Amino acid sequence: MRLEAGKVASELAAIGRRFYSRGWVLGTSGNFSAVVSRTPLRLAITASSLPKGTLRASDILQCDGRGRVIAPRGRAKGKPSAETLLHIEVARRRDAGAVLHTHSVWSTILSDAWPSGAGDNVAALAIEGYEMLKGLAGVTSHEHRELVPIVDNDQDMTRLARRVGETLDRHPGAHAFLLRRHGMYTWGATLADAERHVEILEFLFETIGRTQGGPSWR
Amino acid sequence: MRLEAGKVASELAAIGRRFYSRGWVLGTSGNFSAVVSRTPLRLAITASSLPKGTLRASDILQCDGRGRVIAPRGRAKGKPSAETLLHIEVARRRDAGAVLHTHSVWSTILSDAWPSGAGDNVAALAIEGYEMLKGLAGVTSHEHRELVPIVDNDQDMTRLARRVGETLDRHPGAHAFLLRRHGMYTWGATLADAERHVEILEFLFETIGRTQGGPSWR
Amino acid sequence: MRLEAGKVASELAAIGRRFYSRGWVLGTSGNFSAVVSRTPLRLAITASSLPKGTLRASDILQCDGRGRVIAPRGRAKGKPSAETLLHIEVARRRDAGAVLHTHSVWSTILSDAWPSGAGDNVAALAIEGYEMLKGLAGVTSHEHRELVPIVDNDQDMTRLARRVGETLDRHPGAHAFLLRRHGMYTWGATLADAERHVEILEFLFETIGRTQGGPSWR
Amino acid sequence: MRLEAGKVASELAAIGRRFYSRGWVLGTSGNFSAVVSRTPLRLAITASSLPKGTLRASDILQCDGRGRVIAPRGRAKGKPSAETLLHIEVARRRDAGAVLHTHSVWSTILSDAWPSGAGDNVAALAIEGYEMLKGLAGVTSHEHRELVPIVDNDQDMTRLARRVGETLDRHPGAHAFLLRRHGMYTWGATLADAERHVEILEFLFETIGRTQGGPSWR
């Protein structure tokens, strides 16, 4: 697989602007990547610390499978997203073509609504019975039960990436995970698939947040 | 009746883009149809599994009264919406000129707020006393009582279409129905009427959801 | 006073499109007027039953002080808003230059949160202590107490207009009133003043609705 | 430091239009400034009482370090924002390059959710554990604890400016403060930093408001 890098960069930038207009990547939150080569692994990924409402193709870098920049361009001066290792972990373990991280109000609220898991376990949000689940790749009925693992947040990216990797292995059917008080990661075979997953999961988080909110959160 | 198919397709696509911007058809949810011929019955209808924010006239197919495609066009490669049979059921039993299915957060929440009906009965949401009801065709006072039946969701489309048909017959005055955890169907004599019904009902669902939400949902 | 009618019509149409995008005049709800002549009284006013998202200057009619159309134009075929008498009542008793009626979710919710007044009294929503109140004409401190009367809805427009007139006289300081389960009327010396009042009051309704919502509504 | 005044004015106007579209500066609320000269202190600042959705560069004035206009231009006829003294206080004590005041629903709600402090103390909203905090200048971990002081509102601008100054001195680490029932002030080394701070804090206010809302407010 080898996608045309300029086209991918334009598409990632357009996704950023769309998500910004929905309020899902305010501040400089959120980061987006797409696999442009599988062997060796090459990711197009948003540069660090950029506002997403004005994202341009020149704000997209390329990095290798260890997160080192191999094609720095534009105003970002070549520093990839601090969370690049998480993108690589997902791209590898899920064979994903695109990885999108959003940071919406409802995903942040839901990521904080269950206690941390004990020991090696992580908490998880269960979503079941919604027709919208059928928009997730491979799901064919609303009776599907989707478990969205919740990983505790961590500023040590190497440690967090390892934890994310373990979580992905333990939840082979999961289409997304939440970072506690930090938002959501989801992915897909293509950028269009990953963007659809974002819309579906953000919809479900809002629906569940408004429906099941207990006395201490709504 | 025989509408100009190209114009209808453009209008359906524009409705899709408007609803998408409101957040009523995220993911690939939602589908829209208009009757282009009554005898024999011909529907212009959105192709299956398309994102609605970029919907174009070429994404609109034509199908006959049994849901078979008779005019496949464009990127959708000729597969009509999986819910085509529901559109046909509504178009026939209500003599509707247009049928619109949205999948908003509030319609999903309200569709889940009443238990299933026993036996042949379906649950129903009662809406009463709101001026906005006057925007529904034939309603002339806010004192109108609108019953919105709630049909349990089902992946068996033949069975679901039959159940929808029965529900429409039992609620001859209903302007819409909800599918449980799945969203709303409404219709009208024209596309403009159906779109107005969507706006009115979505407004009422949000108002009721925020007003009457019990301890377990808001 | 004699405003240029074409310019007023364009401004009313633009206000409609702006309010529609905020979700304050969905369906065909809402209507807007501006005084184009004081003696004799002449109002530019939205034609009846039009969607506001596509409102054009040609959708604006002119009527006299009894609500009779004197300048029918465009697609509306000359039928003025059903609520024209309410606009005239406000224009006369408040010497207003513009009257705007919105129909938002939060104004509808708040209009229903207090019981009807007994006898000649109407219910009222008290708003106090908010800096945003200073945007209302003549208010110079957040310590202002604004009473927003709530008038029961009625399909008899002559009777409702009389009731509105009485309410305005009893609440000479009010900048707006609510119709129960129907939305808000506000006004101003100019269209810009009236539009500012809409924004301020909608903000306050949402703030109060989210803050003070009791167990039975939110 | 000496920024090009025309460019600054254009950027302030564009920020106003963006915030207006998000609903953060409805009515004529909100005001924005940028330091164009440090010695002597010169601020570009929004003129008083203007709607922000149509803000233009010509609506931006220049004032000196005592709030007197030195470059009146355009429709505002030279009257600077009534809250100019607060901007000057922040610009001086924080060495800020830009000061932004928004007036959103959630900041207004949160500003009212804690009682006034006794004596010289002001109330404060504590925000802790959110990844989004890392978007605040100098914050490097979600484990940061941000205290947002809440200052009681006051129409006496000289007294309020003094109170704001004292509050800033007592909370040297604070990136923002709230005025009770009035909204938020935040700032940054540049306009881009200040705008990022607005987005981050508005996100956090909404998240906290929806999460921790007690029985009497949501």
Side-chain angles (χ1 to χ4, degrees):
Chain A
M1 176 169 123
R2 178 160 282 281
L3 294 180
E4 204 269 290
K7 188 163 174 297
V8 169
S10 293
E11 288 176 2
L12 286 169
I15 284 174
R17 296 192 302 266
R18 287 198 287 275
F19 287 1
Y20 177 81
S21 76
R22 295 247 181 227
W24 294 341
V25 288
L26 292 180
T28 55
S29 71
N31 37 66
F32 320 120
S33 70
V35 172
V36 288
S37 155
R38 185 64 68 187
T39 318
L41 186 63
R42 294 281 181 273
L43 261 69
I45 190 162
T46 37
S48 181
S49 302
L50 293 179
K52 301 306 184 293
T54 52
L55 208 61
R56 294 166 304 189
S58 58
D59 298 321
I60 308 300
L61 310 175
Q62 280 198 38
C63 68
D64 66 15
R66 295 172 65 182
R68 293 172 303 200
V69 173
I70 54 175
R73 299 194 296 176
R75 60 174 162 164
K77 299 193 177 67
K79 198 178 158 208
S81 166
E83 298 174 29
T84 298
L85 292 180
L86 306 191
H87 286 254
I88 292 170
E89 206 66 36
V90 175
R92 280 234 169 83
R93 292 189 196 239
R94 285 300 200 254
D95 206 26
V99 183
L100 301 176
H101 166 44
T102 49
H103 198 138
S104 70
V105 165
W106 287 109
S107 69
T108 303
I109 289 174
L110 285 197
S111 76
D112 201 31
W114 283 264
S116 296
D120 286 340
N121 292 313
V122 292
L125 162 67
I127 308 178
E128 195 169 5
Y130 289 100
E131 176 75 10
M132 195 62 96
L133 288 164
K134 283 172 62 188
L136 300 177
V139 176
T140 57
S141 169
H142 64 285
E143 292 175 345
H144 172 73
R145 178 179 170 88
E146 179 77 18
L147 272 182
V148 184
I150 303 174
V151 180
D152 284 339
N153 198 18
D154 195 333
Q155 297 306 324
D156 181 330
M157 282 299 138
T158 307
R159 192 166 58 196
L160 184 57
R162 194 170 57 235
R163 184 97 167 145
V164 161
E166 293 164 1
T167 301
L168 292 171
D169 286 351
R170 265 162 216 237
H171 290 83
H175 293 81
F177 62 88
L178 290 165
L179 293 177
R180 191 173 298 276
R181 292 196 174 195
H182 182 158
M184 172 179 69
Y185 271 80
T186 189
W187 51 86
T190 66
L191 261 174
D193 288 336
E195 185 174 8
R196 191 183 71 243
H197 286 178
V198 167
E199 291 189 7
I200 284 165
L201 290 158
E202 292 290 354
F203 170 91
L204 289 165
F205 294 154
E206 181 178 347
T207 299
I208 289 168
R210 292 188 188 276
T211 304
Q212 301 180 354
S216 68
W217 61 281
R218 67 213 61 200
Chain B
M1 179 167 120
R2 179 160 283 281
L3 295 180
E4 203 270 290
K7 189 163 174 295
V8 169
S10 293
E11 288 176 1
L12 286 169
I15 283 174
R17 296 192 302 267
R18 287 198 287 274
F19 287 2
Y20 177 80
S21 76
R22 296 246 182 227
W24 293 342
V25 289
L26 292 180
T28 55
S29 72
N31 36 68
F32 321 120
S33 71
V35 172
V36 288
S37 154
R38 186 65 67 186
T39 317
L41 186 62
R42 294 281 181 272
L43 262 68
I45 189 162
T46 37
S48 181
S49 303
L50 293 178
K52 302 306 183 291
T54 53
L55 207 61
R56 295 166 304 189
S58 58
D59 298 322
I60 308 300
L61 310 175
Q62 280 198 39
C63 68
D64 66 14
R66 295 172 66 182
R68 292 172 304 200
V69 173
I70 54 175
R73 299 193 298 175
R75 60 174 162 164
K77 298 195 176 68
K79 197 179 159 208
S81 166
E83 298 174 29
T84 298
L85 292 181
L86 306 191
H87 287 254
I88 291 170
E89 205 66 35
V90 174
R92 280 237 170 81
R93 294 192 194 237
R94 286 300 200 254
D95 205 28
V99 183
L100 301 176
H101 165 44
T102 49
H103 199 138
S104 70
V105 165
W106 287 109
S107 68
T108 303
I109 289 174
L110 286 197
S111 76
D112 200 31
W114 282 263
S116 296
D120 286 341
N121 293 314
V122 293
L125 162 68
I127 308 179
E128 194 169 5
Y130 289 99
E131 176 75 11
M132 195 62 97
L133 288 164
K134 284 172 61 188
L136 299 178
V139 176
T140 57
S141 168
H142 64 284
E143 292 174 346
H144 172 74
R145 177 179 171 89
E146 178 77 17
L147 271 183
V148 184
I150 303 174
V151 180
D152 284 340
N153 198 18
D154 195 334
Q155 297 306 323
D156 181 330
M157 282 300 137
T158 307
R159 191 166 57 196
L160 183 57
R162 194 171 55 235
R163 183 99 168 142
V164 161
E166 293 164 0
T167 300
L168 292 172
D169 286 352
R170 266 164 216 236
H171 291 82
H175 292 82
F177 62 87
L178 291 165
L179 293 177
R180 192 174 296 278
R181 292 198 174 194
H182 182 158
M184 172 178 71
Y185 271 80
T186 188
W187 51 86
T190 65
L191 261 174
D193 288 336
E195 184 173 10
R196 190 183 71 243
H197 286 178
V198 167
E199 292 188 7
I200 284 166
L201 290 159
E202 292 290 354
F203 170 91
L204 289 165
F205 294 155
E206 181 178 348
T207 299
I208 289 168
R210 292 189 188 277
T211 304
Q212 301 180 354
S216 69
W217 60 280
R218 66 212 62 200
Chain C
M1 176 169 123
R2 180 160 281 281
L3 295 180
E4 203 270 289
K7 187 163 174 296
V8 169
S10 293
E11 287 176 2
L12 286 169
I15 283 173
R17 296 191 302 267
R18 287 197 288 274
F19 287 2
Y20 177 81
S21 76
R22 295 246 182 227
W24 294 341
V25 288
L26 292 181
T28 55
S29 71
N31 36 67
F32 321 120
S33 71
V35 172
V36 289
S37 156
R38 184 65 66 187
T39 317
L41 187 62
R42 295 280 182 272
L43 262 68
I45 189 162
T46 38
S48 182
S49 302
L50 293 178
K52 302 306 184 292
T54 52
L55 208 61
R56 295 166 303 190
S58 58
D59 298 322
I60 308 300
L61 309 175
Q62 280 199 38
C63 69
D64 66 14
R66 296 172 65 182
R68 292 172 303 201
V69 172
I70 54 176
R73 300 194 297 176
R75 61 174 163 164
K77 299 193 177 67
K79 198 179 159 208
S81 166
E83 298 174 28
T84 298
L85 293 181
L86 306 191
H87 286 254
I88 291 171
E89 207 65 35
V90 175
R92 281 237 169 82
R93 293 191 196 237
R94 286 299 200 255
D95 205 27
V99 183
L100 302 176
H101 166 44
T102 49
H103 199 138
S104 71
V105 165
W106 286 109
S107 68
T108 303
I109 290 174
L110 285 197
S111 76
D112 201 31
W114 282 263
S116 296
D120 286 340
N121 293 314
V122 293
L125 161 70
I127 307 179
E128 195 169 3
Y130 289 100
E131 176 74 10
M132 194 63 96
L133 288 164
K134 284 172 60 188
L136 300 177
V139 176
T140 57
S141 168
H142 64 284
E143 292 175 345
H144 172 74
R145 177 179 171 88
E146 179 77 18
L147 271 182
V148 185
I150 303 174
V151 180
D152 283 340
N153 199 18
D154 195 334
Q155 296 307 323
D156 181 329
M157 281 300 138
T158 307
R159 191 167 57 196
L160 183 57
R162 194 170 56 236
R163 183 97 167 144
V164 161
E166 292 164 1
T167 301
L168 292 172
D169 286 351
R170 265 163 219 237
H171 290 82
H175 293 81
F177 61 88
L178 290 165
L179 293 176
R180 191 174 297 277
R181 291 198 174 194
H182 182 158
M184 172 179 72
Y185 271 80
T186 188
W187 51 86
T190 65
L191 261 174
D193 288 336
E195 185 174 8
R196 190 183 71 242
H197 286 179
V198 167
E199 291 188 7
I200 284 165
L201 290 158
E202 292 290 354
F203 170 92
L204 289 165
F205 294 154
E206 181 178 347
T207 299
I208 289 168
R210 292 188 187 277
T211 304
Q212 300 180 354
S216 68
W217 60 280
R218 68 213 61 202
Chain D
M1 178 169 120
R2 180 161 280 281
L3 295 181
E4 203 269 289
K7 188 163 175 296
V8 169
S10 294
E11 287 177 1
L12 285 169
I15 284 174
R17 296 191 302 268
R18 286 197 289 274
F19 287 2
Y20 177 81
S21 75
R22 295 247 181 226
W24 293 342
V25 289
L26 292 180
T28 55
S29 71
N31 37 68
F32 320 120
S33 70
V35 172
V36 289
S37 155
R38 185 64 67 187
T39 317
L41 186 62
R42 294 281 181 273
L43 262 68
I45 189 161
T46 38
S48 181
S49 303
L50 293 178
K52 301 306 184 291
T54 52
L55 207 62
R56 294 165 305 190
S58 57
D59 298 323
I60 308 300
L61 310 176
Q62 280 199 38
C63 69
D64 66 14
R66 295 173 65 183
R68 293 172 304 200
V69 172
I70 53 175
R73 299 193 298 175
R75 62 175 160 163
K77 299 194 175 69
K79 197 179 159 209
S81 167
E83 297 173 29
T84 298
L85 291 182
L86 306 191
H87 286 254
I88 292 170
E89 206 66 35
V90 174
R92 281 237 169 82
R93 293 191 195 237
R94 285 301 200 255
D95 205 28
V99 183
L100 301 176
H101 166 44
T102 49
H103 198 137
S104 70
V105 166
W106 287 109
S107 68
T108 303
I109 290 175
L110 286 197
S111 75
D112 201 30
W114 282 263
S116 296
D120 286 341
N121 293 314
V122 292
L125 161 68
I127 307 178
E128 194 169 5
Y130 289 100
E131 177 74 11
M132 195 62 97
L133 289 164
K134 283 172 61 187
L136 300 177
V139 176
T140 56
S141 169
H142 64 283
E143 292 175 345
H144 171 75
R145 178 178 171 89
E146 179 77 17
L147 270 183
V148 184
I150 303 174
V151 180
D152 283 341
N153 198 19
D154 195 334
Q155 296 307 323
D156 181 330
M157 281 301 138
T158 307
R159 191 166 57 196
L160 184 57
R162 193 170 57 236
R163 184 99 168 142
V164 162
E166 292 164 1
T167 300
L168 292 172
D169 286 352
R170 265 163 218 239
H171 291 82
H175 293 81
F177 62 88
L178 290 165
L179 292 178
R180 192 174 296 277
R181 292 197 173 194
H182 182 158
M184 172 179 70
Y185 271 81
T186 187
W187 50 85
T190 66
L191 261 174
D193 288 336
E195 185 174 9
R196 191 183 71 242
H197 286 179
V198 167
E199 291 188 9
I200 285 166
L201 290 158
E202 292 290 354
F203 170 92
L204 289 165
F205 294 155
E206 181 179 348
T207 299
I208 289 168
R210 291 188 188 278
T211 305
Q212 301 180 354
S216 68
W217 60 280
R218 68 214 58 204

